[in-house]
Amino acid sequence: MKATLKYLAGIAGPSGYGSKTTAEQITQVCSVSFTSQLTAIITGATSGIGAETARVLAKRGVRLVIPARDLKKAAILKEAIKKQSPWADIILLEIDLSSFASIQRFCAQFLSLGLPLHILINNAGKFSQKLEFSEDKFELSFATNYLDRKESPSVFVSLEFEHETLQLCCWTGHFLLTEMLLEKMVETAEQTGIEGRIVNVSSVVHNWVKRDKFCFSQMLNPKNYNGTRAYAQSKLANILHAKELSRQLKARNANVAINAVHPGIVKTGITRDHKGFITGMHFLFCHSLYFMASKLLKSTSQGSASTCYVALNPQTRGVNGKYFADCNECHCSALANDEIEAHILWKHTRALIHRRSFPGITIFS
């Protein structure tokens, strides 16, 4: 109850920020002379909190590389950002995070540009109510969110969603993307002396996964599919990925940090996604439900604040392998904090990718 009241009131935590803090407020302390040196890749940036994260980083002078399935939507975003920040340097490249081949093409294209890479924000995601498979024959929530991710409407789960529309992105997709870009980030940090930062956008729903239900093979090809469970597992995988990769980066004294964030319960798309449901006898109940829920929901600017805090704020320099919510470090589940589980998951995922014979991936021991 105390935590809920603190959240509703927007009371600041140890960082000086809280649930009502916006991304613009978070980044006001960032020096333009510093941020103008930075290059960031943001997945899932064409809508929702990803778009707001891109807008704010561009406003602070960060060069943006935006991978997108729909380049028309990405072009609309670019135009909107440049109207507000005419100086913004924005590069659009095509990617489908549910396809390993597409991820490889994107990475090859980006690396061929010869740009540095300081920030990687693994933001995109997918929730699939029906059992679907990626191009590489993996369950789609797992393939997009850890391998990669897309979110779809569900009355129960939608309050936990971080994005406005269906998107692709995350776990093996994000795992592979991170692996293929990691050496560029380490190299950039060594050459510039600027800490590299990777942000995995996760969710509080990772807490829903019980240890006896978390099985790698079942995530790939579940016998009894449940969309909510699959989504929660992919979010748990995002945190475990951050934990294990953080350990590896520390072991090699790399000047790159990776952390996970829960953006909060964001106000995007709930009424739109369910307006057809709010009819007839359901109207009063649903109207009351959404009215009460609206008091808990964040705006997209508030929802993107934790991502911007971890990616850019000076206070998070040197922080590695942690989980953040409301712009403050907080506790994740015991399972998400299990170093053994994190290593096993990382090891199995790496083996899975190698079995698919994808070359050019740097792997740590």
Side-chain angles (χ1 to χ4, degrees), residues 7-11 17-27 48-53 55-56 123 161-162 201 261-268 293-310 324-328:
Y7 172 85
L8 290 171
I11 297 172
Y17 304 111
S19 62
K20 302 301 182 185
T21 304
T22 67
E24 291 213 19
Q25 290 171 331
I26 285 291
T27 56
I49 62 171
E52 177 65 5
T53 300
R55 183 189 72 81
V56 172
N123 167 79
F161 284 176
E162 302 90 354
V201 178
V261 304
H262 167 50
I265 306 170
V266 182
K267 200 176 290 183
T268 54
S294 69
K295 303 305 178 184
L296 297 172
L297 304 183
K298 290 184 176 183
S299 67
T300 53
S301 189
Q302 291 167 342
S304 59
S306 290
T307 298
C308 290
Y309 178 66
V310 173
F324 290 81
D326 298 331
C327 306
N328 285 274

